[in-house]
Amino acid sequence: MTIEWFVILAALLFAVGLAGLTVRRNPVVMLLCLELMLGAGALALLAFSRMTGDQDGQILVLIVLVVAACEVVVGLGLVVAMFRRRIPLDVDEIKELKG
Amino acid sequence: MLEVLFFLAAIGALGGAVGVVFLKNPFYSVLSLVVHLIFLAVLFLLLEAQFLAAAQIVVYAGAVMVIYVFVAAYVGGIEEPLFDPIPRLRVLGPVLAAAIFIEISIAVLGSSLVALGTEGASDLEAGFGTPASIGLLLLEDFLIAFEVASLLLLVTAVAAIVLAGRKPGEEGVES
């Protein structure tokens, strides 16, 4: 169970998230795929933190967790705003920057 | 023993991730992400990050997923034409993802980081990854990052209310 395995697994999870992000059009699911990619990044950071025996990487992961939570809240706020304004929940529908 | 645990957790995390992408109903996608996050926390534990594993379960699988479930229930079942509006994207997306995976793999395996082939540093300091040592680091060396994170959370809370809240007297908005 070497560090390589964790990094390769992180790359695989990142790729799955990227595939979902490009293929799905529903904003809720696209946010979920973003979560997958952020989680993969966190896993890689933790693997490197374990590799060097330095805990700074874990702090970085904690900050990534905070940023991810913020991204979720703003993204889901946008989804709710779209729903309220009766815009179909499809990212291709948000073409114009007007309220 | 640890190897078995690693592979079980890896398969679970990967299965959850694939479920997020391929399940048609957004509600099931959210539940699949919860499964993914729980197995990801097991992987964090294998990397000696006890505090982050616990934070992952409590903050993510607990709090954030509740917001997701709530929004998925609020906007209801969406008739999504599962992959289609841009037909070529259905092929190009996975190809792009595969290319990224192969590229990262080559970059990692071809790098000169000798320590990648080991199980990590053998002389871990006592209490590596425990809440106590993470908390000490966070409040001493990384105090500014900690404060900025708290400010970011405050700004986000305001942003969420501005974005999703109903303005008084607003027209054309469903009540």
Side-chain angles (χ1 to χ4, degrees), chain A residues 1-4 6-7 9 15 22-26 31-32 35-36 46 50-51 55 58 68 70 73 84-85, chain B residues 3 21 23 26 44 48 52 60 68 78 80 82-83 89 93 97 116-118 121 129 133-134 156 160 164 170:
Chain A
M1 193 180 55
T2 60
I3 298 297
E4 276 168 344
F6 286 97
V7 180
L9 177 65
T22 50
V23 155
R24 300 294 295 259
R25 296 265 68 98
N26 179 340
L31 281 172
L32 290 174
E35 295 292 327
L36 285 179
L46 281 180
R50 176 73 183 80
M51 182 181 88
Q55 289 181 91
Q58 301 203 358
C70 294
V73 169
R84 281 258 179 81
R85 286 172 176 70
Chain B
E3 275 82 359
V21 177
L23 286 174
F44 285 8
E48 311 279 337
L52 281 169
Y60 253 86
Y68 267 115
I78 307 151
E80 187 190 3
L82 193 63
F83 292 132
L89 217 52
L116 271 180
T118 67
S133 59
I134 295 286
T156 312
E170 189 177 5

Side-chain angles (χ1 to χ4, degrees), chain B residues 99-115:
Chain B
I100 290 276
F101 170 62
I102 292 169
E103 188 183 340
I104 297 177
S105 301
I106 291 175
V108 166
L109 297 180
S111 73
S112 52
L113 289 169
V114 207

Side-chain angles (χ1 to χ4, degrees), chain B residues 138 140-149:
Chain B
L138 204 54
E140 287 178 354
D141 294 2
F142 294 93
L143 185 62
I144 293 180
F146 179 71
E147 294 295 346
V148 170

Side-chain angles (χ1 to χ4, degrees), chain B residues 59-85:
Chain B
V59 175
Y60 253 86
V64 173
M65 287 304 118
V66 170
I67 310 179
Y68 267 115
V69 169
F70 181 76
V71 171
Y74 179 67
V75 300
I78 307 151
E79 294 300 321
E80 187 190 3
L82 193 63
F83 292 132
D84 269 335

Side-chain angles (χ1 to χ4, degrees), chain A residues 17-51:
Chain A
L18 184 66
L21 195 66
T22 50
V23 155
R24 300 294 295 259
R25 296 265 68 98
N26 179 340
V28 177
V29 180
M30 289 180 77
L31 281 172
L32 290 174
C33 292
L34 269 180
E35 295 292 327
L36 285 179
M37 295 169 76
L38 283 163
L43 184 62
L45 275 173
L46 281 180
F48 289 128
S49 161
R50 176 73 183 80
M51 182 181 88

Side-chain angles (χ1 to χ4, degrees), chain B residues 21-57:
Chain B
V21 177
F22 284 101
L23 286 174
K24 215 167 184 175
N25 187 337
F27 205 79
Y28 294 153
S29 285
V30 175
L31 295 183
S32 184
L33 191 70
V34 174
V35 173
H36 165 81
L37 289 174
I38 289 171
F39 282 109
L40 203 61
V42 174
L43 288 169
F44 285 8
L45 273 182
L46 285 173
L47 287 168
E48 311 279 337
Q50 295 99 319
F51 174 69
L52 281 169
Q56 176 91 350
I57 297 266

